[in-house]
Amino acid sequence: MIGRLNHVAIAVPDLAAATANYRDGLGAKVSAPQDLPEHGVTVVFVELPNTKIELLHPLGANSPIAAFLEKNPAGGMHHVCFDVDDIIKARDHLKAAGKRVLGDGEPKIGAHNKPVLFLHPKDFSGTLVEIEQA
Ligand code: CO
């Protein structure tokens, strides 16, 4: 069911500093910052040969990553995202396996304009997992 690693998302308190780290320190190709108001984040995409890193910074008053950064003021890994072929099949399979799907269980359109769902971190070794329809 699970496909390739789509991205690893890292919440950062200083987006410009984190972007410079990846660009200048690691020599990575980085995008311009993009505001995604419907997701409450500003994101920089770091393009790697085999996957992406997404640097997430809170946008607006009710950002879903604000509480995470309060607990992790230096930033930290926020979630991993895996491709799936069919998100509804994947969701139903996960639910049947006793895994908790966050929210109302209906896919939302994610940062790449594709349907995504999030899975409860307690069901995946303390890691928030996103699945995205490839
Ligand atoms: Co993501």
Side-chain angles (χ1 to χ4, degrees), residues 7 9 54 79 81 130:
H7 61 270
E54 294 183 5
H79 65 269
C81 178
E130 179 180 20

Side-chain angles (χ1 to χ4, degrees), residues 10-127:
I10 300 176
V12 301
D14 183 334
L15 191 55
T19 302
N21 266 342
Y22 275 86
R23 185 188 55 223
D24 306 333
L26 289 168
K29 188 179 161 212
V30 301
S31 76
Q34 294 176 29
D35 289 344
L36 302 174
E38 67 278 21
H39 296 288
V41 294
T42 301
V43 61
V44 166
F45 298 102
V46 180
E47 295 287 344
L48 304 179
N50 61 342
T51 190
K52 292 186 285 288
I53 305 289
E54 294 183 5
L55 304 175
L56 304 177
H57 187 72
L59 175 68
N62 298 310
S63 174
I65 63 166
F68 180 90
L69 277 173
E70 264 167 44
K71 276 185 245 157
N72 304 276
M77 201 197 79
H78 186 261
H79 65 269
V80 294
C81 178
F82 302 114
D83 285 349
V84 294
D85 288 332
D86 181 329
I87 200 162
I88 299 300
K89 263 194 201 162
R91 176 197 65 191
D92 293 348
H93 176 89
L94 284 155
K95 278 183 157 175
K99 307 306 176 193
R100 286 166 283 182
V101 176
L102 300 186
D104 62 7
E106 293 307 315
K108 294 203 167 43
I109 297 303
H112 313 114
N113 290 317
K114 292 180 175 169
V116 302
L117 283 168
F118 284 91
L119 309 173
H120 201 297
K122 288 196 171 143
D123 294 338
F124 287 93
S125 312
T127 304

